Amino acid sequence: ALCVVALSACGARVDAGSDTSASAESCVDTSGDTVKIGFLNSLSGTMAISEQTVHDSLELAAQEINADGGVLGKELEIVSEDGQSEPTVFAEKAGKLITSDCVAAVFGGWTSASRKAMLPVFEAQDSLLFYPVQYEGLESSPNIFYTGATTNQQIVPALDYLVEQGTKSLFLVGSDYVFPRTANKIINAYAEAHDIEIVGEEYAPLGHTDFSTIVNKVKSADADAVFNTLNGDSNVAFFKEYKNVGMSADDMPVVSVSIAEEEVGGIGIENVEGQLTAWNYYQTVDSPANTAFVEAFKAEYGEDRPTSDPMEAAYTSLYLWKAMVEKAESFAVEDVTAAADGVTFDAPEGEVVVNGDNHHIAKTALIGKIGADGLIHTEWSSEEPIEPDPYLEGYDWADGLS
Amino acid sequence: MSEMSSTEQQPETEIDLAAAEALLGTDADRFKHDYLEVRGLRVEFDGFVAVRDVDLTVTQGDLRFLIGPNGAGKTTLIDAVTGLVRATGSVSFGRTALLGRSTHRIARAGVGRTFQTASVFEELTVLQNLDIAAGARRAPLTLLRRRPATPEAVEHALETVGLTALRDVPAGVLAHGQKQWLEIGMLLVQDAHLLLLDEPVAGMTQAEREETGQLLRRIGSQRVVVVVEHDMEFLRSFADSVTVMHQGRVLAEGTVNEVQNDPAVVEVYLGAPTQGDLA
Amino acid sequence: MTVLTTLLRPGRTRTLAAFGLAAVLLLLAPLVLSPFRLDLLAKFLCLAMVAVGIGLAWGRGGLLTLGQGVYFGLGAYLMAMHLKLADAGPGGVPDFMLLYGTGQVPGWWEPLRSPVSAILLILVVPAALAALLGWAVFTRRVRGAYFAILSQALAAAFAILLIGQQQTTGGTNGLNGFRAFFGYDLADPVNKQMLYLIAAAVLLLMVAIVRQLTVSRFGELLVAVRDQEDRVRFLGYDPAAVKVVAYVVAAVMAAVGGALFVPIAGIVSPADVGVVPSIGFLIGVAIGGRATLLGPVLGSIAVSWAQTSISEQFPSGWIYFQGALFILVIAFLPGGLASVAGKLRRRAPEGSPA
Amino acid sequence: MLELSGVTTGYGRTTVVHGVDLTVPDGALTAVLGHNGAGKTTLLRAVLGLLPLRAGSVRLADEDVTALAPHKRVRRGIAYVPQGQQSFGQLSARENLQVVADAHGRAGRRRTDEALDLFPALRDLLGRQAGLLSGGQRQQLAIARALVTGPTLLVLDEPVEGIQPNVVTEIYAAISTLTGAGSLSVLLVEQHIGYAVEHAAEFAVLTSGRVAHRGQGGVPTAAAAARKALTL
Amino acid sequence: MDIIAQLFAGLSLGSVLLLAALGLSLTFGQMGVINMAHGEFMMAGAYTAFVIQGVVGDAGVSLLLALPLGFVVGGLLGLLLEATLIHRMYRRPLDTLLVTWGVALVLQQVARDVFGAPNVDVRAPAWLSGAVEIGGLALPRTRLFILALAIVCVVALALALRATPLGRRIRAVVQNRDLAEASGISSRATDRVTFFIGSGLAGIAGVTLTLLGSVGPTLGTNYIVDAFLVVVAGGIGQIKGTVIAAMALGLMQAFFEYSTTASVAKVLVFVAIVAFLQLRPQGLVSVRTRSLA
Ligand SMILES: Nc1ncnc2c1ncn2[C@@H]1O[C@H](COP(=O)(O)OP(=O)(O)OP(=O)(O)O)[C@@H](O)[C@H]1O
Ligand SMILES: Nc1ncnc2c1ncn2[C@@H]1O[C@H](COP(=O)(O)OP(=O)(O)OP(=O)(O)O)[C@@H](O)[C@H]1O
Ligand SMILES: NC(N)=O
Ligand SMILES: [Mg+2]
Ligand SMILES: [Mg+2]
C-alpha cells in the first residue's frame, strides 16, 4: 500500500521509449577565484599501494599549477576521495564529486574495473575524467581522457621489439581480469600474423601467491620469452619462484607491462634484475622536463621515492587539462572537449599531443631493462610518439578483435 | 514477558496430581494396547559391545524400572530406542518399528525421553519450553502465527509439575530438580506414550522424590513408562517390575522382591544388604 | 475491544510506534535530502535488507552466515543481467560481451530477457541454492564454526568464479552502465526517487515479515534449535528444516537487497560479493543488536553512513574506525547498541510508560 | 579448616545465597541439605571461588581466600567434586587423572593408584575417552580425580548421584575412614539425609539460600530434625 | 615427470598451508577461538624478518634469527589479544570471529602506516637460492626448507600436546574451564600459553612466507580462508587431520591448477571440501561425543 501511495504521489512515469537522457545541469561554480577539481584514488584497500603514488603526483602538479597562478587565474581547490579499491565505491564517489562537490574535472582511477565503473557516471552527468594508467584499449568515451598508454603504444611496441630480437615463441602469464585477458587476445592475434608461437597462456587470480604450478609450466614450455601481465603482489611470488627454479633473464626473459619503478623494490631487485618492461616513461628518461619533475617529486616526498609511468601520466593529465581549459577559456565540459584536439604538453616523458577524436594522447613507447640500481633503463625506443589507436584500426592483424 | 523481580527467591514448587488427570484422563482408552517390545538389541562402539541380546517387553500400566551397575548399558538402551545410536535387532512400539528411523520421526511416533543431565531450552521461558514440546505435530503454517493463548495441555502441564508460578522464567535459571520436572512436563504435553526417563529424581529431596514417584505412577497407569534409577528406596516405593542389566545383557527381571533377593543382583549391584540403605 | 487491548500491549505499542516512526522518516527523506544523498540512502536501505535477513538467521537462529554476499550477489547479478539484456533490446547483445566475449549471448542468460521471469529468478534462484545448501549442510549437522567457515569459503569461491568468467559475467569489472529499469530511464531523478521509495517499502515489508516470524512459534522454535538442537529432535521436530527456513528467508532478503542495489548503485562487481563485504554485512547487525528487530536495520544504515562520511574525511581513518567498532561492540557490548537502550530503560523507574 | 561467614552470592541480578555462616572443623564432615534450588550448588561454587562473593568471606585453614582464584584455593588443599558427572570429555580417563596428578609428582602417581583401588571398575576404562563413559562411570572418575590431589578439604556436591548402590557404600566407607583418621575434612551436599546426618559433625539445612536449621550430626534425633526442617 | 613436479608443488603448497593452519589448530581447534587476525600475525612475522634483515644484513643469519623472533612477535601479539579481548569471550566462540576481524583490519592498517603501503623485499639467503636437481627435476631449496620446517613444527607441536603435562592441561582447560580451575589448573595461564604458542606458529609461518612471496600489509589475508578450511576439513583440534587436510588441499590445488586454471582450481577445491564435509561433517578425524549425555 505504501508503495502505491508513494508512486501515485510522485506520478512522474517515464515511458520506456522516450529518450530523455536527462543529464543533470552542471553545478560547477566558476564565479569565485577558485575552481574545484576532484582526485579519486584508492587510498585504502589492495590498490592503495599503487594509487597512493598517483595521488601524490597529482597533488604535486596541483601545487605547481597553483604556485604558478592557477588555471585561468583561478586557484585549484582539491576535493580528494578514496575509491577504497572497489569499483562500486569509485562509481559512488564519482557521483559525489560531480553532483555534490561540483568539481570541474576528476582525476584518477587505476584498474580497468574502476574506470568501467565510473564511465557511465561521467557520461550520464556529462562530466570529465582523466585516467592515467595504461590499459587494454577498445574504449573511447567523450567524457574520459586517457593519458596512459593504449595497447598500440605499449603492448604492440613490446611485441615489435621481441620480434626484432628474434623471438619465435611466447608464454603468456597474467592476472585473471580484463586488462590481461584483453591484452593477451591482442597478443594472440599479433602472434598469428607474425609467426610467433604462443606456447602457453596462464591466469592467476589477483592476489594469487603460489606460482609453483605456473612456473613449472613456463619452465617446461621453454619459450623464447614470457609476456607478463600479472598485477600487484602476484609479481613478487612469480619472480621469486622463477628465480628459485633457477631461471633468469638470460634463459627466458620476461617482459612485464605492470611493473614500474616502485614495484621493483618490493619484488626484490635480485629477483628481477635484467628483466624487461614496456612503458612510456621511466625515471631515467633524460630530458629537462623529467629532471625537473623527478627533483620536484623527491623534494616533496623524499629522496627514496621513485617516479613511474602512471605517476607521470597523472601529473601530465592535470597539465593537459589546464592547457585545454586555457585554450577553451572555459571550464565547461563542452568547451574543454571541443578545444582538446592538438593540445600539447612538454611532459617528463617527452612531448605529448591530445587526440581530439579518441581522447587518448600520442606517446613514445620505451622498452626498459631493470637495472641493479632498482631503476629501469631504456633499452629500445620507438623514437617518435605513437598516435593512439585504441581500437587497433590501423593494424590489419587486429581485424577480428572488436 | 514479565521479569523476575531482582532479589526475590523463586517460589517453592510442588507437583499437582489433580492437574495430571486433566492431561492424561482424556484418552485413557485409546492407547490401551501400547507396549514396547525390544528383541535381540545390540549396540556396538568400535568393537566394544555396550548392549547385547537384550529382549524387553514393557506394557502400559506396568511402571518398569531399569537398574544395573554403572556402564551396564541402560542409557545406551534408551539411546538405541530413541535413535541416538545405531543398533541392530528390533524395537517396536505398538505396531511401529522404531529402529532405523531418525530421531525426530521416532519422537513423532510417540516416544519421549529425558536425559541423565537435564536438558531444556535455557533461553526460552518455561511456558515456551512446554509450548514447543506440545507443538511438533502442528501444521507448519500454524508455526508462523503467534501463540494465541496458552494451550490447555500446556496449562495443565504447568500445574502438574508445579511450575505455574515460574511460567515466564527462562528455563536456564531453574534448579536441577525443577528442570527435571519441566522435562517431565514436556513429555506430557508432547503426548508421548512411551516415556523413557533416565534418572529422573537425581538431585531431589526425599519429599520431592515422593511427589515425582506419585506422578510417575499416575502416568504409568496410562502410558508405557521405563525409569532408570539407582535409588533403591525410590524403586521399592514405586516400581511395578524391574529389569536388571549387567554388562550389556539382561541379568534378571521380575518384581522388586524377586530381583532384590537375586544373589547375582546383590553381587554385582546392590552389595551387602545391611549397608544398602542410605536414605 | 480485544483488538485495541492487544494493540496496546506494551511490547506491541512500542514496536508499532518504532515501525511507524521509521516509515514516516523514510517517506520524508526525499523532501530533505539532495538527489545524491537520497541515492546513497537508497543504497544503504538495500544493504540493510541483507542485515534484516542476517538478524533472523544469526541473531535468532545462531547461524553465523559469513556468505551472504553470495545471495546478495545472485540477486544483484540476475538483476544486472536482465537490465543489460533489456538495454540491448530484443535479441540484442550486451556491450561487454561484444568486447570480451564471443559476441553471443550465452544460453543461460536468455531466461533473464523477460522482466517477469527475471523477477521470479531473483527470488527463486537464491532460495533454491540456499535450500539445497542448507539442507545438505544442516542435515549433516554441520554447525557453529564449521558452518561459518564453510559459508565464508562459499563467498570466496563465488567471487573467484565470477572473476574467472569474464566473457559472461564481466569479470572484475562486474556489470554496469544500465540505462533503464523496467523501462524507466535511470538518468531521470524522478525515477531515482521512485527507486528509493520502492527500497524503503520493501525494507519495511521485510522488517514486518521478520517480526512476524520472531514472535511466532517458529521464532521460539528457532531459538530452541539454536540453543539445543539435539534436544529439539527428541520432541519430534527436524531442526534442519527449521534452520533451512531461516537460512532461505535470509538468502531471499539478501537477494532482493542485491537486486534493488543494482539499479540504484548502477553497478555490481565481484568486490561487492566476496569475503570482505560478506563480513561487512555483519557489522551493522552486530552493532545494532543482532537479536533485535530494528537493530540490524539501524545498525546497518548507521555503519554505511559512517563509512561514507568518515572515509570522505580520513581515508585510512575509516579502517581504524571500522576495526574499533567491531572490537568494542562485539567484545564489550554483545547485545549491540539496542542493549544499551534496554539497560537504560530498565534503569528507569518501574512502571514508567515505555 | 573452612570458615564461611556471611557468604552472599548469586547470578546476574539474582542473589541466590544470603549471608550463610558455616564451618567445617578439621577432620570433620559438615553436611548441607536443602531442596531443589535452595542454593546448595551455588554455595559450593562460592567456596571454590567459581562465583564471586557479594558479601562475606571464605577462610581456609586460617587464611582468608576470598579473593583467591579457584585454582589457587585448590592448591591450598581443596578438592571439588561438582554436581553432574563432569569430566574433561575429550581426554582419556587416564589423562583425566594425570592432568591433576601432574602437579603432584610422585605423590600424585601414588594417590592415583589408591583412588583406582577404590574404583576397580575404572581400571579397565582408563584408555577410554571420558566423554564416552556412562554417567556413573564419569562420576566415579570425578571422585577419583578429586582424591588424586591429596586434599585436606573435600567439597562434594551430591557425589554419589548416579552411582550404583554397592559402590556408593564403598565411597562413603572410604570417606569415613579418611575423616576418621583426621587427615581430611569434608563439606558435603547430599540429598540422602541418612548418611549425611549420621556422619556429619554438624549439618545445615538451606532454604531459599538461607540457613534455616542447624543441627548436630550422629545423634538419634538428627535425621528427624533434618526432615522436619526440610518440609517446612 | 610433470606428475612428480606437480606432486612436489602440491606438497610444497600443502606445507605452506600447514604452517599457516598449525597455529589455528591450537587457537581455533583447541580453544575454539576463530582468530581472523591469525593472518595478520603471519604478516607480523614476515615484517619481523624484514626488520631483522635491515639490522643484520646477512640474509642467512637474519633468516635463522627471524624464525625464533617471528615466533615471539606473533606470540606476543597473540598474548596481547588474548589478555585484552579474547579472554572475555570464551563462552561465545562465534563472536571471536568478528572481534578478531576488527583486530585484523587495524593491524593491516598499522602495517600500512608503519611500513608504508608498498611491499617490501626480504632476500633469501644464498644457501636457499636456486634448486636441487634430482633427475632433471628442479626442487627449489626454499620449498624444501619450508617442507622441512613444517615437519619440525608439526612433530614438536604434536609431542607437546600429546605427551607433556602442558598439552594435557591445554586440552583440559578447553573442555571444561570451571572444572579445570576447580582441579587446580590455572585456566588463565593455560589460555595465555596456548594462545602464545598458536600465534607464535603464525609468526613462523609468516617468516617462511617471505621466501615465497611479497611482504605487504595484506599478506595474511591470502591465507586465512584456506587455513581455516584446512582446520575444518581436518577435524577441529586434530593435528593429524590438519596435516592430512593441508597436504590434500595443496595437492588438489596443484593438480587442478595444472589441468585447469588457478581460478578454477580454487573453486574446485572449495567444492571438493563442501562435498567432503557432506561425507564427514566433523572433518577427517573427529572426536566422538555422547551428545546430551
Ligand atoms: N558413544 C560411545 N562410545 C564408546 N563407548 C560408549 C559410548 N556410549 C556408551 N559407551 C560405553 O557403553 C557402556 C554403557 O554405557 P551406558 O551409558 O549405557 O551405561 P549406563 O548403564 O547408563 O550407566 P550409568 O548407570 O552409569 O548411567 C559404558 O561402558 C560406556 O563407556
Ligand atoms: N547460572 C545461573 N544463572 C541464574 N540463576 C541460576 C544459575 N544457576 C542456578 N541458578 C538459580 O539459583 C538457585 C539455586 O540453584 P542451585 O543450583 O544452587 O540449587 P541447588 O540447591 O544446588 O539445587 P539442586 O538440588 O537441584 O542441585 C536456583 O533458583 C536456580 O534457578
Ligand atoms: N588498466 C589496468 N592496468 O588495469
Ligand atoms: Mg546412564
Ligand atoms: Mg545443586
Side-chain angles (χ1 to χ4, degrees):
Chain A
L2 180 76
C3 183
V4 174
V5 172
L7 285 183
S8 60
C10 309
R13 291 163 155 255
V14 181
D15 276 341
S18 81
D19 189 359
T20 50
S21 70
S23 35
E25 270 309 294
S26 158
C27 61
V28 179
D29 178 13
T30 51
S31 58
D33 48 10
T34 65
V35 63
K36 281 192 196 169
I37 55 172
F39 292 170
L40 181 42
N41 311 100
S42 295
L43 305 177
S44 60
T46 51
M47 290 308 296
I49 301 179
S50 308
E51 295 190 54
Q52 180 72 49
T53 67
V54 164
H55 184 81
D56 290 346
S57 70
L58 283 169
E59 294 271 3
L60 177 67
Q63 273 174 33
E64 289 177 3
I65 290 172
N66 278 342
D68 203 32
V71 177
L72 284 183
K74 294 185 198 299
E75 194 181 335
L76 298 178
E77 189 183 330
I78 312 296
V79 184
S80 243
E81 278 293 348
D82 177 11
Q84 299 173 18
S85 309
E86 282 194 38
T88 312
V89 177
F90 270 96
E92 175 193 317
K93 299 294 187 186
K96 174 188 175 269
L97 287 171
I98 300 166
T99 63
S100 195
D101 296 315
C102 301
V103 298
V106 176
F107 301 79
W110 180 294
T111 62
S112 291
S114 71
R115 189 189 66 254
K116 291 277 183 200
M118 292 187 286
L119 183 142
V121 180
F122 282 93
E123 290 189 350
Q125 304 290 341
D126 196 15
S127 188
L128 279 184
L129 170 68
F130 284 76
Y131 173 75
V133 184
Q134 45 77 235
Y135 82 111
E136 69 278 6
L138 307 182
E139 185 181 299
S140 95
S141 160
N143 295 88
I144 301 181
F145 284 96
Y146 306 78
T147 65
T150 179
T151 45
N152 79 313
Q153 297 166 315
Q154 182 190 28
I155 289 171
V156 176
L159 292 169
D160 289 342
Y161 167 79
L162 288 173
V163 168
E164 215 178 287
Q165 301 293 311
T167 303
K168 288 275 163 229
S169 59
L170 271 181
F171 197 108
L172 313 183
V173 178
S175 293
D176 201 356
Y177 76 108
V178 184
F179 168 70
R181 282 196 177 263
T182 313
N184 286 343
K185 231 164 113 175
I186 293 168
I187 295 171
N188 272 297
Y190 182 100
E192 197 168 325
H194 293 82
D195 250 353
I196 297 175
E197 193 192 351
I198 303 296
V199 293
E201 184 171 341
E202 290 293 329
Y203 296 94
L206 280 169
H208 191 64
T209 48
D210 198 292
F211 278 84
S212 45
T213 300
I214 289 179
V215 168
N216 275 347
K217 287 190 186 178
V218 172
K219 190 176 184 199
S220 54
D222 198 26
D224 289 343
V226 178
F227 204 103
N228 168 25
T229 45
L230 288 172
N231 240 267
D233 295 2
S234 296
N235 277 308
V236 186
F238 173 75
F239 280 105
K240 282 197 175 175
E241 194 69 34
Y242 202 71
K243 183 166 178 241
N244 281 342
V245 298
M247 296 208 288
S248 68
D250 297 335
D251 309 322
M252 206 192 292
V254 181
V255 184
S256 306
V257 292
S258 297
I259 297 177
E261 282 85 344
E262 72 259 17
E263 275 97 23
V264 171
I267 299 174
I269 297 168
E270 72 279 10
N271 295 317
V272 284
E273 193 186 333
Q275 302 288 16
L276 303 171
T277 62
W279 290 104
N280 307 91
Y281 166 85
Y282 299 115
Q283 184 178 318
T284 55
V285 164
D286 186 16
S287 74
N290 187 40
T291 312
F293 171 59
V294 171
E295 265 176 22
F297 191 85
K298 288 189 185 278
E300 184 69 25
Y301 298 108
E303 231 4 80
D304 55 334
R305 291 279 305 271
T307 57
S308 69
D309 181 292
M311 290 156 68
E312 189 267 350
Y315 178 83
T316 300
S317 69
L318 197 61
Y319 275 102
L320 281 174
W321 173 73
K322 174 180 189 284
M324 293 176 201
V325 169
E326 286 176 345
K327 185 174 167 199
E329 295 184 351
S330 159
F331 289 99
V333 172
E334 267 175 86
D335 303 334
V336 172
T337 46
D341 191 38
V343 165
T344 64
F345 173 61
D346 186 18
E349 66 182 85
E351 189 173 76
V352 297
V353 189
V354 177
N355 177 319
D357 290 335
N358 58 30
H359 283 196
H360 290 62
I361 64 179
K363 294 167 85 80
T364 308
L366 304 175
I367 305 299
K369 188 177 251 181
I370 299 169
D373 53 1
L375 294 177
I376 307 178
H377 302 273
T378 305
E379 187 83 349
W380 176 94
S381 161
S382 67
E383 304 301 342
E384 292 293 303
I386 302 171
E387 268 304 306
D389 184 0
Y391 293 96
L392 296 175
E393 282 156 343
Y395 301 84
D396 293 341
W397 50 263
D399 270 353
L401 283 176
S402 60
Chain B
M1 197 173 300
S2 88
E3 276 162 354
M4 284 279 290
S5 67
S6 53
T7 50
E8 256 342 88
Q9 195 71 32
Q10 291 171 8
E12 305 279 336
T13 46
E14 224 166 83
I15 296 271
D16 180 352
L17 278 179
E21 298 299 327
L23 262 180
L24 296 168
T26 46
D27 56 2
D29 293 359
R30 216 175 69 196
F31 292 94
K32 259 231 162 79
H33 308 295
D34 280 350
Y35 60 95
L36 168 69
E37 187 168 87
V38 175
R39 288 290 170 269
L41 192 73
R42 180 184 174 89
V43 180
E44 204 176 319
F45 302 107
D46 314 316
F48 171 76
V49 186
V51 171
R52 64 180 87 204
D53 309 330
V54 167
D55 292 344
L56 186 69
T57 307
V58 187
T59 57
Q60 183 183 313
D62 167 16
L63 187 55
R64 174 69 57 95
F65 273 58
L66 186 57
I67 61 172
N70 296 130
K74 307 178 293 294
T75 301
T76 307
L77 175 81
I78 295 182
D79 287 351
V81 172
T82 53
L84 194 60
V85 300
R86 219 193 296 262
T88 56
S90 86
V91 176
S92 57
F93 177 53
R95 270 183 290 273
T96 323
L98 300 182
L99 278 199
R101 290 188 181 221
S102 64
T103 296
H104 68 275
R105 283 180 208 283
I106 292 174
R108 282 189 202 168
V111 180
R113 71 173 288 185
T114 63
F115 294 86
Q116 201 159 351
T117 36
S119 140
V120 293
F121 305 117
E122 314 236 318
E123 295 227 339
L124 297 178
T125 63
V126 169
L127 177 63
Q128 287 170 332
N129 267 277
L130 288 167
D131 187 61
I132 283 184
R137 290 200 193 80
R138 286 184 192 127
L141 281 182
T142 64
L143 279 179
L144 298 181
R145 285 202 297 273
R146 192 196 274 269
R147 184 176 343 94
T150 314
E152 206 176 330
V154 170
E155 204 69 70
H156 290 310
L158 277 171
E159 282 170 41
T160 306
V161 296
L163 291 172
T164 310
L166 296 174
R167 59 195 288 163
D168 291 326
V169 167
V173 311
L174 296 181
H176 196 73
Q178 290 168 334
K179 285 182 186 163
Q180 283 168 310
W181 277 342
L182 176 56
E183 285 215 82
I184 295 174
M186 287 163 74
L187 285 182
L188 289 176
V189 293
Q190 188 186 343
D191 208 27
H193 287 82
L194 168 60
L195 290 79
L196 305 162
L197 309 170
D198 204 350
E199 306 195 16
V201 299
M204 292 186 185
T205 59
Q206 194 57 42
E208 290 159 348
R209 281 164 206 252
E210 187 71 24
E211 288 178 34
T212 309
Q214 300 286 358
L215 176 61
L216 292 184
R217 173 172 284 168
R218 177 68 196 81
I219 298 171
S221 68
Q222 273 161 352
R223 312 258 160 116
V224 184
V225 181
V226 177
V227 181
V228 174
E229 255 305 335
H230 289 295
D231 180 339
M232 295 313 288
E233 196 192 349
F234 183 67
L235 174 134
R236 280 192 284 271
S237 311
F238 297 104
D240 291 326
S241 60
V242 183
T243 300
V244 187
M245 287 183 70
H246 179 49
Q247 293 180 341
R249 297 175 207 270
V250 174
L251 179 70
E253 195 166 284
T255 63
V256 175
N257 254 327
E258 284 164 9
V259 298
Q260 254 189 325
N261 298 318
D262 185 324
V265 178
V266 173
E267 156 84 29
V268 302
Y269 185 66
L270 294 174
T274 44
Q275 290 180 342
D277 187 2
L278 287 166
Chain C
M1 194 57 218
T2 46
V3 177
L4 196 67
T5 46
T6 34
L7 276 182
L8 289 181
R9 274 218 305 267
R12 200 165 261 212
T13 17
R14 208 183 308 131
T15 321
L16 272 179
F19 192 79
L21 189 67
V24 169
L25 283 179
L26 283 176
L27 280 175
L28 286 181
L31 303 179
V32 293
L33 292 179
S34 73
F36 171 71
R37 295 285 160 195
L38 189 69
D39 228 34
L40 272 185
L41 180 58
K43 212 180 326 180
F44 298 166
L45 296 185
C46 296
L47 300 178
M49 293 175 198
V50 188
V52 174
I54 294 177
L56 181 73
W58 178 39
R60 290 277 150 180
L63 305 170
L64 180 51
T65 149
L66 296 177
Q68 286 310 85
V70 172
Y71 302 107
F72 180 82
L74 273 177
Y77 268 89
L78 288 170
M79 175 63 88
M81 287 158 71
H82 169 68
L83 297 186
K84 273 295 188 198
L85 288 170
D87 280 355
V93 180
D95 46 11
F96 79 95
M97 287 187 187
L98 294 170
L99 268 182
Y100 314 127
T102 54
Q104 274 178 349
V105 179
W108 54 274
W109 272 62
E110 288 298 341
L112 288 151
R113 274 201 198 272
S114 131
V116 177
S117 70
I119 291 176
L120 275 179
L121 287 172
I122 284 168
L123 297 173
V124 170
V125 172
L129 178 68
L132 188 79
L133 215 75
W135 194 255
V137 167
F138 298 138
T139 49
R140 297 294 288 147
R141 304 185 194 180
V142 173
R143 56 189 163 209
Y146 276 85
F147 173 72
I149 305 251
L150 213 57
S151 64
Q152 181 174 51
L154 184 73
F158 183 61
I160 292 175
L161 197 65
L162 285 173
I163 291 171
Q165 307 303 310
Q166 197 188 138
Q167 301 90 330
T168 50
T169 64
T172 30
N173 285 4
L175 299 174
N176 67 345
F178 317 111
R179 284 195 296 279
F181 179 64
F182 296 103
Y184 291 87
D185 187 346
L186 280 172
D188 184 343
V190 177
N191 287 333
K192 286 283 203 181
Q193 228 174 59
M194 175 183 78
L195 272 174
Y196 164 82
L197 289 171
I198 292 176
V202 169
L203 179 62
L204 288 172
L205 177 70
M206 284 183 183
V207 171
I209 290 175
V210 167
R211 161 151 171 98
Q212 184 55 36
L213 284 178
T214 44
V215 300
S216 71
R217 285 178 154 137
F218 172 80
E220 291 171 3
L221 192 55
L222 191 57
V223 172
V225 169
R226 175 186 74 192
D227 293 343
Q228 284 258 35
E229 175 172 341
D230 290 310
R231 185 66 181 86
V232 169
R233 237 174 236 129
F234 289 98
L235 294 175
Y237 297 96
D238 183 359
V242 178
K243 289 191 189 185
V244 168
V245 171
Y247 187 54
V248 168
V249 170
V252 170
M253 289 186 171
V256 171
L260 285 170
F261 179 85
V262 161
I264 293 170
I267 178 173
V268 59
S269 82
D272 300 319
V273 309
V275 171
V276 175
S278 293
I279 293 186
F281 288 130
L282 290 169
I283 327 178
V285 180
I287 284 172
R290 67 187 80 159
T292 62
L293 185 63
L294 287 176
V297 176
L298 298 177
S300 159
I301 294 176
V303 167
S304 306
W305 173 81
Q307 165 154 27
T308 299
S309 52
I310 293 178
S311 71
E312 278 172 19
Q313 315 297 329
F314 324 94
S316 71
W318 163 245
I319 307 246
Y320 283 121
F321 184 78
Q322 187 186 21
L325 261 187
F326 257 113
I327 295 167
L328 296 177
V329 172
I330 309 264
F332 300 98
L333 208 60
L337 293 177
S339 69
V340 179
K343 273 177 199 152
L344 290 179
R345 198 178 317 122
R346 235 170 281 139
R347 211 170 284 169
E350 284 294 87
S352 66
Chain D
M1 173 56 42
L2 181 74
E3 205 178 320
L4 309 183
S5 54
V7 166
T8 302
T9 187
Y11 308 89
R13 289 178 303 125
T14 345
T15 303
V16 172
V17 170
H18 305 265
V20 167
D21 300 324
L22 201 68
T23 54
V24 183
D26 284 352
L29 187 151
T30 298
V32 177
L33 307 171
H35 279 284
N36 238 310
K40 306 179 296 294
T41 298
T42 308
L43 180 67
L44 295 198
R45 288 174 60 81
V47 169
L48 261 290
L50 293 167
L51 263 183
L53 291 197
R54 294 181 177 176
S57 67
V58 178
R59 295 183 69 79
L60 180 66
D62 291 325
E63 182 195 3
D64 189 339
V65 297
T66 314
L68 234 45
H71 69 272
K72 294 205 173 125
R73 302 187 196 195
V74 171
R75 287 180 198 165
R76 280 168 175 66
I78 304 188
Y80 177 45
V81 177
Q83 193 169 14
Q85 305 152 350
Q86 298 189 41
S87 66
F88 302 114
Q90 294 185 12
L91 271 62
S92 67
R94 179 180 291 110
E95 286 174 320
N96 263 269
L97 300 176
Q98 274 175 341
V99 77
V100 230
D102 282 336
H104 300 269
R106 191 172 307 163
R109 283 194 291 279
R110 177 174 47 78
R111 285 193 294 257
T112 304
D113 254 355
E114 289 169 5
L116 288 175
D117 288 341
L118 183 59
F119 302 108
L122 280 184
R123 278 200 193 275
D124 297 334
L125 303 171
L126 284 178
R128 290 238 210 131
Q129 196 187 311
L132 300 178
L133 296 178
S134 82
Q137 290 166 340
R138 276 202 309 276
Q139 188 65 12
Q140 297 183 20
L141 182 62
I143 299 174
R145 202 173 44 227
L147 295 177
V148 167
T149 60
T152 50
L153 173 67
L154 195 52
V155 177
L156 303 169
D157 197 348
E158 310 198 16
V160 299
E161 205 56 73
I163 295 182
Q164 64 192 78
N166 52 356
V167 177
V168 169
T169 316
E170 297 198 11
I171 292 171
Y172 278 133
I175 291 174
S176 299
T177 315
L178 288 171
T179 47
S183 60
L184 185 69
S185 318
V186 179
L187 176 58
L188 172 71
V189 164
E190 191 37 281
Q191 297 288 7
H192 296 87
I193 297 172
Y195 175 88
V197 167
E198 194 178 319
H199 291 83
E202 39 188 292
F203 67 91
V205 175
L206 220 55
T207 308
S208 296
R210 294 188 169 79
V211 177
H213 175 83
R214 284 176 205 278
Q216 288 284 314
V219 295
T221 53
R227 281 205 181 85
K228 183 150 171 283
L230 270 171
T231 47
L232 281 180
Chain E
M1 191 72 258
D2 269 357
I3 288 190
I4 297 175
Q6 280 317 99
L7 209 62
F8 180 73
L11 289 179
S12 167
L13 178 56
S15 65
V16 173
L17 286 175
L18 180 57
L19 277 172
L22 203 55
L24 280 182
S25 77
L26 263 189
T27 55
F28 175 47
Q30 296 291 342
M31 304 175 75
V33 175
I34 313 178
N35 181 15
M36 298 299 280
H38 193 79
E40 279 56 45
F41 294 171
M42 289 165 64
M43 169 198 78
Y47 275 110
T48 305
F50 171 70
V51 170
I52 292 176
Q53 186 160 85
V55 176
V56 177
D58 180 85
V61 178
S62 124
L63 176 66
L64 294 180
L65 274 179
L67 285 171
L69 282 176
F71 179 80
V72 171
V73 168
L76 287 178
L77 279 173
L79 202 59
L80 189 68
L81 179 66
E82 204 282 338
T84 52
L85 293 171
I86 301 294
H87 81 93
R88 58 185 84 235
M89 304 182 65
Y90 285 117
R91 280 163 227 268
R92 10 184 211 127
L94 291 188
D95 282 9
T96 60
L97 185 153
L98 300 169
V99 164
T100 53
W101 175 260
V103 172
L105 287 179
V106 170
L107 286 179
Q108 275 177 37
Q109 193 58 36
V110 167
R112 231 172 249 133
D113 290 346
V114 173
F115 296 99
N119 294 335
V120 297
D121 175 39
V122 179
R123 273 169 292 122
W127 44 271
L128 280 184
S129 75
V132 179
E133 294 275 341
I134 300 177
L137 195 66
L139 307 180
R141 287 174 203 268
T142 47
R143 290 188 176 267
L144 289 171
F145 177 75
I146 293 173
L147 199 59
L149 189 67
I151 294 172
V152 171
C153 288
V154 165
V155 171
L157 184 63
L159 281 180
L161 274 186
R162 283 292 136 198
T164 65
L166 174 68
R168 272 194 287 277
R169 229 173 291 151
I170 288 175
R171 289 184 292 141
V173 168
V174 167
Q175 276 153 47
N176 193 331
R177 319 192 78 77
D178 274 359
L179 187 59
E181 271 286 326
S183 308
I185 300 166
S186 166
S187 58
R188 293 294 302 116
T190 310
D191 288 338
R192 290 196 187 127
V193 172
T194 318
F195 220 81
F196 181 83
I197 298 175
S199 308
L201 285 169
I204 291 189
V207 173
T208 62
L209 282 179
T210 64
L211 296 172
L212 294 181
S214 68
V215 179
T218 55
L219 170 127
T221 50
N222 296 324
Y223 290 92
I224 192 74
V225 175
D226 286 345
F228 271 109
L229 276 181
V230 165
V231 179
V232 164
I236 285 181
Q238 302 299 310
I239 291 185
K240 187 170 62 176
T242 307
V243 173
I244 299 173
M247 292 304 161
L249 244 69
L251 286 170
M252 271 199 288
Q253 174 75 29
F255 279 97
F256 286 154
E257 189 173 328
Y258 196 76
S259 42
T260 61
T261 69
S263 308
V264 173
K266 268 197 134 31
V267 175
L268 286 178
V269 168
F270 286 137
V271 171
I273 289 172
V274 173
F276 171 75
L277 285 179
Q278 280 301 296
L279 299 175
R280 307 212 47 155
Q282 303 301 310
L284 263 174
V285 182
S286 60
V287 189
R288 285 172 310 131
T289 54
R290 294 183 76 170
S291 46
L292 294 169

